Amino acid sequence: MRGPEIVMNLALTKSSSDYGQSFDHPAGEGMLYVPGGTFRMGSDRHYPEEAPVHRVTVDPFWMDRTPVANRQFREFVNSTGYVTFAEIPPDPKDYPGALPHMLYAGSLVFSPPARPVDLRNWSEWWTFLKGADWRHPYGPNSNINGLDDHPVVHVAYRDADATWAGKQLPTEAEWEFAARGGLDGAECAWGDEFTPGGKHMANTWQGEFPHQNLCADGFERTSPVTAFPANGYGLHDMIGNVWEWTADWYSQKREADAPKACCIPENPRGGSEAASYDSCQPNIRIPRKVLKGGSHLCAPNYCRRYRPAARHAEPVDTSTCHVGFRCITRKRSAS
């Protein structure tokens, strides 16, 4: 972790839950009990990296009711002096061959084009902006005034994985189980229909991405973390608004379903760090973690990843204006 480690003296309390027997967890507002169980992880209907559907089991845990918001992250930074990855100029040793004038602190910001563009070329709508960070989400002249309840963004993996309030990042399996809210096998976190009765259930993109944003859900960019209905476990924003980091290394290959109930994986983890490198860019050896949940930039014509089964590989040194995180607590270790 870059920056001082946060140390919090949290009293343990006994809590109960509507979903069954719980366990002791750090006191504090905003965490909800997720009961654990066996579910069908993945999907065979959309993107190849989600397949095959396979059963896994996860233990109970507690999860933040919402993504970490700007207000919470500011309190963390003020109490620890933490400096995010986007605020620190890159070390030239980590980027051999890069020209000195290209090595500056910044982050990726969505910049919508004025016309239809080639959807295979993401550089048409992403710009690495000097001075973009969690306090300045859209560049150095922007700020987060009035956005206290919006999710913090421009957090790289190391920022999300900091010893933050004594919690941990969820595994991919834990995250997906929680996102489903008890609806095992459903297409969306709230059922099988994306907009039931015409109601928007998450902050996603309406219109032709990336040039036409109709804002039919009421938001052009991020939204307050409780703006949309909670799922069956009471968790908000598991889908849309911002992608969320998980603790697992990305692996393109998924295990097949266990042939017998006795063989169902328990508390599974992702692949190895070495296997997480992007095979399409063999000269770039930056490991990648799994993101879950989709964001306000997910659109039917481009990215249908506004579903619990969806997943995305993100380099650990990358931060953007549409990636955030939330934490969990558990009894066991998932390091």
Side-chain angles (χ1 to χ4, degrees):
M1 169 183 173
R2 207 182 302 192
E5 181 177 357
I6 185 170
V7 179
M8 300 189 71
N9 182 19
L10 298 173
L12 292 178
T13 61
K14 187 69 175 179
S15 300
S16 61
S17 168
D18 293 336
Y19 301 105
Q21 185 65 35
S22 63
F23 52 80
D24 290 354
H25 76 109
E29 297 181 0
M31 296 199 83
L32 297 177
Y33 181 70
V34 179
T38 299
F39 75 107
R40 289 170 289 173
M41 186 175 179
S43 172
D44 295 324
R45 303 176 186 174
H46 295 275
Y47 298 101
E49 69 270 15
E50 300 170 14
V53 173
H54 57 291
R55 292 167 296 168
V56 303
T57 299
V58 295
D59 289 339
F61 54 93
W62 291 81
M63 180 174 251
D64 290 340
R65 185 168 65 97
T66 69
V68 173
N70 285 315
R71 177 187 291 109
Q72 296 166 286
F73 200 75
R74 182 190 298 112
E75 292 171 353
F76 166 68
V77 169
N78 288 344
S79 65
T80 65
Y82 186 81
V83 179
T84 62
F85 189 82
E87 298 171 272
I88 301 173
D91 187 333
K93 297 194 302 294
D94 296 333
Y95 301 90
L99 299 176
H101 72 274
M102 298 175 62
L103 297 176
Y104 51 79
S107 192
L108 284 168
V109 174
F110 175 71
S111 302
R115 63 190 188 288
V117 294
D118 184 353
L119 294 180
R120 296 169 296 181
N121 184 8
W122 60 266
S123 65
E124 294 278 5
W125 57 86
W126 283 110
T127 303
F128 188 83
L129 277 186
K130 184 177 183 179
D133 56 47
W134 73 273
R135 292 186 183 89
H136 310 94
Y138 306 111
N141 295 324
S142 66
N143 58 62
I144 55 173
N145 295 342
L147 301 180
D148 276 359
D149 295 327
H150 287 235
V152 65
V153 293
H154 295 297
V155 284
Y157 176 76
R158 68 177 61 190
D159 305 320
D161 193 43
T163 308
W164 204 84
K167 303 176 184 179
Q168 307 88 39
L169 290 177
T171 66
E172 181 179 2
E174 288 169 334
W175 195 100
E176 185 168 330
F177 180 86
R180 292 183 177 279
L183 300 178
D184 185 25
E187 183 82 349
C188 302
W190 46 84
D192 287 319
E193 189 177 352
F194 182 53
T195 52
K199 181 179 180 180
H200 291 282
M201 303 295 288
N203 182 0
T204 59
W205 183 284
Q206 299 87 49
E208 290 296 310
F209 184 87
H211 67 284
Q212 180 195 48
N213 190 351
L214 299 178
C215 302
D217 59 8
F219 299 97
E220 181 181 3
R221 295 174 173 169
T222 60
S223 53
V225 293
T226 58
F228 293 88
N231 73 359
Y233 293 146
L235 303 167
H236 288 270
D237 269 6
M238 295 300 290
I239 298 300
N241 211 2
V242 294
W243 285 97
E244 297 181 14
W245 288 104
T246 73
D248 284 356
W249 297 113
Y250 182 82
S251 177
Q252 185 75 28
K253 184 179 180 181
R254 309 294 293 273
E255 297 295 328
D257 195 22
K260 298 179 180 179
C262 62
C263 303
I264 295 173
E266 297 183 6
N267 304 310
R269 298 305 308 270
S272 66
E273 177 178 348
S276 72
Y277 299 129
D278 188 348
S279 60
C280 296
Q281 302 184 74
N283 295 327
I284 300 178
R285 306 292 286 174
I286 300 174
R288 300 179 297 169
K289 291 283 186 174
V290 177
L291 296 181
K292 296 286 282 184
S295 79
H296 62 283
L297 300 181
C298 284
N301 74 303
Y302 175 67
C303 172
R304 301 185 308 277
R305 291 185 171 89
Y306 34 65
R307 298 167 291 103
R311 55 203 303 266
H312 178 65
E314 187 81 347
V316 296
D317 68 342
T318 300
S319 59
T320 78
C321 64
H322 74 330
V323 173
F325 73 107
R326 81 176 73 208
C327 299
I328 69 168
T329 61
R330 59 171 82 87
K331 273 190 170 181
R332 59 188 172 78
S333 171
S335 59

